[in-house]
Amino acid sequence: MSAPVICLAGPTAAGKSATTLAIAQRWPIEIIAMDSATIYRGMDIGTAKPSSEERALVPHHLLDIRDPAESYSAADFHVDATRLIQDIRSRGKLPLLSGGTMLYYKALREGLNALPPADPAIRMQIDQEAAQIGWPGLHRQLAGYDPETARRLAPNDSQRLQRAIEIYRSSGRSMSSWLQDAPARRDDTLSFVTVSLEPSDRLALHARIALRYRRMIEDGLLDEVRALHDRGDLHVGLPSIRCVGYRQLWDHLEGRISLEQAIEQATAATRQLAKRQLTWLRSQPEREVVDCLSGTAAEEVLRRVAEHWGQTPYGV
């Protein structure tokens, strides 16, 4: 029987990247990045993308696979990750999922619903309306025609609100109706284990998030965003530019806020992202939790991985 696919999950700034490298020193792994931001070329600093040295130590997949003008969906990840798992195993290696985009993991582990495709024109229209009345205003509108979905979504969850509204406007049917009529399809040949790096002290994680973003600014993140802005073909309606830490600097470059305001807003948005990631993870009772703030977090993760993979690879 094949070894389970291990997913090293956790909120942003939990130390997933460093821990994956520790795992690579003990097992012959290849990493499948489970991240909706590191897929984009030219977005390296703000996504904390693995360095060229780290990529030389262990193969990483699904990095730099899209131009920032392009989109990438959970359905795309499902197809790509499923193929990669089989390819990696065929080479006698162990696939390791690592990242914080839990929607991708949900799609891979639980299967996909048959939903209408994305419509860039409708998305742009929704973004323009959000700029005028705010996402809470659009959330109230959604509650009028899809109360079930509105109850599940936070008033400022722009990405998921946009998708729910887009589905309704493109098809005339609510997202909840689509989900009811088109149940998810999953691959029963794959088994998964979730090892989750989570903080015992959320305020300590917040401090780590603030420090990391300041370091990104020092490392040239503003210049990275400026290069994207100067292209002329990118805009805030794109998923790439809406990435946390990029959207706020984009607003600064367009003169709407100061640099210090952008840093403060980006840090706050990153904290909110971490909160959403933790909320999703805590809804998964079977996950194996490791305190990411512990000085022995990496060693504890290695112990958990060994329980599933053994000291040496087997059945890959």
Side-chain angles (χ1 to χ4, degrees), residues 256-267:
R256 287 190 281 272
I257 55 177
S258 68
L259 177 57
E260 190 58 35
Q261 287 174 318
I263 292 172
E264 291 175 359
Q265 290 180 17
T267 303

PDB file of all heavy atoms in Angstrom, residues 256-267:
ATOM      1  N   ARG A 256      -3.011  56.362  -3.051  1.00  0.00           N
ATOM      2  CA  ARG A 256      -4.178  56.358  -2.168  1.00  0.00           C
ATOM      3  C   ARG A 256      -3.803  56.347  -0.690  1.00  0.00           C
ATOM      4  O   ARG A 256      -4.558  56.857   0.141  1.00  0.00           O
ATOM      5  CB  ARG A 256      -5.076  55.160  -2.505  1.00  0.00           C
ATOM      6  CG  ARG A 256      -5.832  55.338  -3.811  1.00  0.00           C
ATOM      7  CD  ARG A 256      -6.877  54.251  -3.986  1.00  0.00           C
ATOM      8  NE  ARG A 256      -6.274  53.012  -4.432  1.00  0.00           N
ATOM      9  CZ  ARG A 256      -6.070  52.692  -5.704  1.00  0.00           C
ATOM     10  NH1 ARG A 256      -6.405  53.553  -6.664  1.00  0.00           N
ATOM     11  NH2 ARG A 256      -5.536  51.541  -6.043  1.00  0.00           N
ATOM     12  N   ILE A 257      -2.660  55.761  -0.364  1.00  0.00           N
ATOM     13  CA  ILE A 257      -2.234  55.689   1.044  1.00  0.00           C
ATOM     14  C   ILE A 257      -0.714  55.867   1.099  1.00  0.00           C
ATOM     15  O   ILE A 257      -0.006  55.676   0.099  1.00  0.00           O
ATOM     16  CB  ILE A 257      -2.624  54.342   1.701  1.00  0.00           C
ATOM     17  CG1 ILE A 257      -2.072  53.157   0.889  1.00  0.00           C
ATOM     18  CG2 ILE A 257      -4.130  54.227   1.880  1.00  0.00           C
ATOM     19  CD1 ILE A 257      -2.351  51.789   1.518  1.00  0.00           C
ATOM     20  N   SER A 258      -0.222  56.211   2.281  1.00  0.00           N
ATOM     21  CA  SER A 258       1.223  56.358   2.465  1.00  0.00           C
ATOM     22  C   SER A 258       1.869  54.980   2.584  1.00  0.00           C
ATOM     23  O   SER A 258       1.178  53.964   2.771  1.00  0.00           O
ATOM     24  CB  SER A 258       1.512  57.164   3.726  1.00  0.00           C
ATOM     25  OG  SER A 258       1.143  56.410   4.885  1.00  0.00           O
ATOM     26  N   LEU A 259       3.189  54.961   2.516  1.00  0.00           N
ATOM     27  CA  LEU A 259       3.892  53.685   2.653  1.00  0.00           C
ATOM     28  C   LEU A 259       3.665  53.093   4.035  1.00  0.00           C
ATOM     29  O   LEU A 259       3.431  51.884   4.173  1.00  0.00           O
ATOM     30  CB  LEU A 259       5.391  53.884   2.398  1.00  0.00           C
ATOM     31  CG  LEU A 259       6.262  52.619   2.575  1.00  0.00           C
ATOM     32  CD1 LEU A 259       5.794  51.484   1.667  1.00  0.00           C
ATOM     33  CD2 LEU A 259       7.738  52.939   2.318  1.00  0.00           C
ATOM     34  N   GLU A 260       3.708  53.919   5.058  1.00  0.00           N
ATOM     35  CA  GLU A 260       3.498  53.403   6.415  1.00  0.00           C
ATOM     36  C   GLU A 260       2.081  52.857   6.575  1.00  0.00           C
ATOM     37  O   GLU A 260       1.877  51.820   7.227  1.00  0.00           O
ATOM     38  CB  GLU A 260       3.764  54.492   7.447  1.00  0.00           C
ATOM     39  CG  GLU A 260       3.796  53.987   8.881  1.00  0.00           C
ATOM     40  CD  GLU A 260       4.831  52.903   9.118  1.00  0.00           C
ATOM     41  OE1 GLU A 260       5.921  52.950   8.492  1.00  0.00           O
ATOM     42  OE2 GLU A 260       4.559  52.000   9.950  1.00  0.00           O
ATOM     43  N   GLN A 261       1.102  53.528   5.983  1.00  0.00           N
ATOM     44  CA  GLN A 261      -0.266  53.008   6.024  1.00  0.00           C
ATOM     45  C   GLN A 261      -0.361  51.671   5.294  1.00  0.00           C
ATOM     46  O   GLN A 261      -1.052  50.755   5.749  1.00  0.00           O
ATOM     47  CB  GLN A 261      -1.233  54.016   5.394  1.00  0.00           C
ATOM     48  CG  GLN A 261      -1.506  55.243   6.240  1.00  0.00           C
ATOM     49  CD  GLN A 261      -2.350  56.270   5.506  1.00  0.00           C
ATOM     50  OE1 GLN A 261      -2.144  56.539   4.321  1.00  0.00           O
ATOM     51  NE2 GLN A 261      -3.319  56.849   6.216  1.00  0.00           N
ATOM     52  N   ALA A 262       0.346  51.564   4.169  1.00  0.00           N
ATOM     53  CA  ALA A 262       0.340  50.312   3.406  1.00  0.00           C
ATOM     54  C   ALA A 262       0.925  49.176   4.238  1.00  0.00           C
ATOM     55  O   ALA A 262       0.390  48.056   4.250  1.00  0.00           O
ATOM     56  CB  ALA A 262       1.122  50.478   2.108  1.00  0.00           C
ATOM     57  N   ILE A 263       2.010  49.464   4.939  1.00  0.00           N
ATOM     58  CA  ILE A 263       2.637  48.438   5.774  1.00  0.00           C
ATOM     59  C   ILE A 263       1.699  48.012   6.890  1.00  0.00           C
ATOM     60  O   ILE A 263       1.530  46.821   7.174  1.00  0.00           O
ATOM     61  CB  ILE A 263       3.977  48.959   6.339  1.00  0.00           C
ATOM     62  CG1 ILE A 263       4.994  49.135   5.199  1.00  0.00           C
ATOM     63  CG2 ILE A 263       4.522  48.006   7.407  1.00  0.00           C
ATOM     64  CD1 ILE A 263       6.273  49.823   5.618  1.00  0.00           C
ATOM     65  N   GLU A 264       1.060  48.989   7.528  1.00  0.00           N
ATOM     66  CA  GLU A 264       0.132  48.675   8.618  1.00  0.00           C
ATOM     67  C   GLU A 264      -1.061  47.867   8.110  1.00  0.00           C
ATOM     68  O   GLU A 264      -1.483  46.884   8.733  1.00  0.00           O
ATOM     69  CB  GLU A 264      -0.345  49.976   9.273  1.00  0.00           C
ATOM     70  CG  GLU A 264       0.747  50.704  10.053  1.00  0.00           C
ATOM     71  CD  GLU A 264       0.277  52.040  10.588  1.00  0.00           C
ATOM     72  OE1 GLU A 264      -0.894  52.400  10.328  1.00  0.00           O
ATOM     73  OE2 GLU A 264       1.077  52.729  11.261  1.00  0.00           O
ATOM     74  N   GLN A 265      -1.606  48.262   6.962  1.00  0.00           N
ATOM     75  CA  GLN A 265      -2.757  47.552   6.410  1.00  0.00           C
ATOM     76  C   GLN A 265      -2.378  46.150   5.948  1.00  0.00           C
ATOM     77  O   GLN A 265      -3.152  45.192   6.121  1.00  0.00           O
ATOM     78  CB  GLN A 265      -3.369  48.345   5.258  1.00  0.00           C
ATOM     79  CG  GLN A 265      -4.061  49.618   5.692  1.00  0.00           C
ATOM     80  CD  GLN A 265      -4.666  50.385   4.532  1.00  0.00           C
ATOM     81  OE1 GLN A 265      -4.850  49.847   3.433  1.00  0.00           O
ATOM     82  NE2 GLN A 265      -4.992  51.653   4.754  1.00  0.00           N
ATOM     83  N   ALA A 266      -1.193  46.008   5.361  1.00  0.00           N
ATOM     84  CA  ALA A 266      -0.745  44.692   4.914  1.00  0.00           C
ATOM     85  C   ALA A 266      -0.527  43.760   6.099  1.00  0.00           C
ATOM     86  O   ALA A 266      -0.872  42.574   6.048  1.00  0.00           O
ATOM     87  CB  ALA A 266       0.547  44.829   4.106  1.00  0.00           C
ATOM     88  N   THR A 267       0.037  44.297   7.172  1.00  0.00           N
ATOM     89  CA  THR A 267       0.250  43.484   8.373  1.00  0.00           C
ATOM     90  C   THR A 267      -1.079  43.041   8.967  1.00  0.00           C
ATOM     91  O   THR A 267      -1.243  41.876   9.353  1.00  0.00           O
ATOM     92  CB  THR A 267       1.062  44.281   9.408  1.00  0.00           C
ATOM     93  OG1 THR A 267       2.313  44.691   8.822  1.00  0.00           O
ATOM     94  CG2 THR A 267       1.336  43.444  10.647  1.00  0.00           C
TER      95      THR A 267
END
